Amino acid sequence: MEGIASKTDDVRRTSTTGASYRRRVIGLSSIASFLFVATYALKALTDGLYVAHDVESALVDVKYLTALLAVLCSLPSVLRSKREVFGEPFKKLLVVLFAFIIFTCLVMLIRGAVNTTCLGLLLKMAIPIFLAYCMLNCLSEDQIYRDMVAILVFSIIGYGLEIGFESLSFDALFSASIEDSESVTESSHAASNAIMLCFYFCYFRKNKVWVVLSILFAIFVFKRLMIVYAIAAFILPLVFDPDRRIKKGWAVFFKLAFFLAAFAWLWLLLPENGILFYGLFGETQSDFTSGRNQMLVNALSHNYVMYGFGSIQAFAGRGIEMDFARLILEVSPLGLALFIWLYWDMACNRLYGTFVMTFVMAQMLFADSLGTNFAWTLLMILMGLMAKRPASGRLFRIHLAGDNACSAEKGGGPR
């Protein structure tokens, strides 16, 4: 009898210990969720109050600390997760990251000098990747949705602090010049997070308020390509099934197309091709790129020294704001090919994922996305959640029924 009682006590102690461990894990997950939101709140508010107005503040970099703490707090949940989310894309992103790290370190070793700016930018590239993976494997979809709502609200508040809340009006928006891309509502600091939040809420349509608000946010920041994609992100899931699986050949086509477009664009921006550029686009290189071509010319004509990823910013004090051209100059054409090939695979051959990635790659071709580190986290979370859903074989959400009346397919309405 004593042996039986002893075994019963052991079972009770084990059960109590297991329950206590689960409570600690759940508690750490809640803290990770809080820190995840705090990261984006800090980014939005410090961008609006300090960065946008060229005011120095130690608070600007605190978001990296909260992101790191969110990753650490999520590790117990990640390690005990039974079903890995975003596993394959995460490994591919790590291949790109480690390839850039190795290449950069080898170049520094050959040159006999360490460039801290390059190392810092590599770290900033790494943190959002781990943050997205950990949040996907720590938080439930419902918790992520609630966090995204909070992030959207904080982002809009930060945006209002940047441009002034008095500028948040439709009159200000309608008075803008689309041709010149000039508006009092324009923001480069809020834009990347705005469009990623728009993509997220247009895919997960749980509440119309957040869908509409995210679309308006993406339109108000007034980046022409973002306006087009924000409107398309609203319409596309209404007509087409966003989970439609597309042929792998399309992924190969887009990868090659963007890789070749990067070299064509870089070549067209060279000063000696100014006449050809004007003939093709009806504008000078400087006008078309809002002066970004001059950053490229300056880097090429002032004894630029390559140290690997981030070396242009280390050399000139700022990037050239055209990511594909930057990667060609910093990590070689092979590095660009690796980046495009493996990052594109986040789309998982889904219709909506492909749609989003065409925006991301077009943005990298003509402007800067690599510097918007935490927008990548929002993108990766969207892609990870999308990959969890069963792929669909149908193309349209609606079909013709009866006397040409449109009716939604069973279960196919917008989320």
Side-chain angles (χ1 to χ4, degrees):
M1 293 294 292
E2 291 181 0
I4 294 174
S6 177
K7 289 181 180 179
T8 302
D9 290 341
D10 289 342
V11 170
R12 287 175 179 172
R13 281 195 294 271
T14 302
S15 177
T16 303
T17 302
S20 177
Y21 175 74
R22 285 194 294 273
R23 284 195 296 271
R24 288 197 298 271
V25 169
I26 292 171
L28 286 173
S29 297
S30 299
I31 295 173
S33 174
F34 170 79
L35 290 168
F36 175 57
V37 174
T39 298
Y40 285 88
L42 283 166
K43 172 177 169 46
L45 299 178
T46 56
D47 280 358
L49 289 171
Y50 304 118
V51 179
H53 303 290
D54 294 322
V55 178
E56 292 187 6
S57 173
L59 292 175
V60 171
D61 292 326
V62 176
K63 60 181 176 286
Y64 293 105
L65 176 60
T66 55
L68 181 59
L69 291 174
V71 169
L72 294 176
C73 288
S74 68
L75 285 180
S77 292
V78 173
L79 294 175
R80 70 191 293 268
S81 178
K82 295 181 180 179
R83 183 182 176 187
E84 186 181 30
V85 181
F86 200 61
E88 284 302 314
F90 176 66
K91 293 171 186 175
K92 292 179 180 180
L93 297 178
L94 289 185
V95 168
V96 177
L97 176 64
F98 288 131
F100 284 7
I101 291 174
I102 292 170
F103 180 82
T104 301
C105 290
L106 285 175
V107 174
M108 290 182 185
L109 185 63
I110 292 171
R111 297 196 182 281
V114 175
N115 194 304
T116 55
T117 299
C118 295
L119 297 178
L121 290 174
L122 283 168
L123 179 61
K124 289 181 178 180
M125 180 182 180
I127 289 177
I129 296 174
F130 285 95
L131 180 61
Y133 177 76
C134 288
M135 293 303 102
L136 283 167
N137 287 279
C138 170
L139 307 178
S140 67
E141 285 193 34
D142 288 339
Q143 183 61 65
I144 289 175
Y145 186 86
R146 290 192 292 270
D147 288 352
M148 288 292 194
V149 170
I151 289 170
L152 175 62
V153 172
F154 277 115
S155 298
I156 292 174
I157 293 172
Y159 170 62
L161 291 172
E162 176 188 346
I163 68 168
F165 287 99
E166 67 278 1
S167 298
L168 289 175
S169 68
F170 286 103
D171 287 340
L173 180 65
F174 293 146
S175 65
S177 171
I178 294 180
E179 183 179 353
D180 298 326
S181 189
E182 292 182 358
S183 171
V184 295
T185 68
E186 183 177 2
S187 169
S188 296
H189 301 287
S192 295
N193 282 359
I195 191 64
M196 291 305 160
L197 289 166
C198 175
F199 289 150
Y200 175 86
F201 286 105
C202 283
Y203 182 77
F204 293 100
R205 301 185 178 219
K206 296 182 180 181
N207 187 307
K208 294 179 181 178
V209 172
W210 306 123
V211 175
V212 173
L213 200 58
S214 67
I215 294 171
L216 289 176
F217 186 24
I219 291 175
F220 262 81
V221 296
F222 210 77
K223 300 294 182 181
R224 286 175 291 191
L225 187 62
M226 290 185 184
I227 292 173
V228 173
Y229 267 84
I231 296 171
F234 173 72
I235 297 173
L236 186 144
L238 294 176
V239 180
F240 300 100
D241 190 332
D243 295 314
R244 160 84 174 190
R245 184 178 294 279
I246 63 175
K247 294 181 179 179
K248 293 182 179 180
W250 281 109
V252 175
F253 167 78
F254 281 118
K255 290 173 182 179
L256 292 175
F258 278 110
F259 180 72
L260 295 175
F263 287 93
W265 185 242
L266 179 61
W267 180 77
L268 278 171
L269 290 179
L270 296 177
E272 56 267 29
N273 296 320
I275 296 176
L276 174 62
F277 191 97
Y278 188 86
L280 290 173
F281 299 101
E283 289 185 305
T284 65
Q285 296 161 318
S286 181
D287 289 340
F288 191 90
T289 64
S290 300
R292 287 190 291 269
N293 70 303
Q294 195 56 47
M295 303 176 203
L296 173 65
V297 173
N298 290 340
L300 293 175
S301 61
H302 288 82
N303 300 318
Y304 160 67
V305 180
M306 191 263 285
Y307 281 94
F309 183 79
S311 53
I312 290 181
Q313 183 163 328
F315 172 78
R318 60 179 298 185
I320 60 175
E321 297 186 18
M322 289 180 288
D323 289 330
F324 285 167
R326 168 190 167 182
L327 290 176
I328 291 172
L329 298 176
E330 292 182 345
V331 293
S332 80
L334 182 60
L336 173 65
L338 184 69
F339 182 95
I340 292 175
W341 199 270
L342 295 184
Y343 265 65
W344 184 278
D345 287 344
M346 285 192 291
C348 294
N349 294 314
R350 303 291 182 92
L351 179 63
Y352 195 78
T354 300
F355 163 75
V356 172
M357 287 307 297
T358 58
F359 167 81
V360 172
M361 294 293 173
Q363 182 75 3
M364 295 187 73
L365 179 63
F366 298 115
D368 173 39
S369 288
L370 283 173
T372 58
N373 306 97
F374 292 107
W376 285 99
T377 298
L378 299 179
L379 169 68
M380 293 167 192
I381 287 175
L382 170 59
M383 295 302 188
L385 294 175
M386 189 186 309
K388 286 178 62 178
R389 293 176 175 268
S392 168
R394 66 185 181 186
L395 178 60
F396 296 102
R397 277 198 178 277
I398 58 176
H399 66 282
L400 295 178
D403 53 350
N404 293 327
C406 289
S407 61
E409 292 189 28
K410 184 178 181 181
R415 292 177 179 76

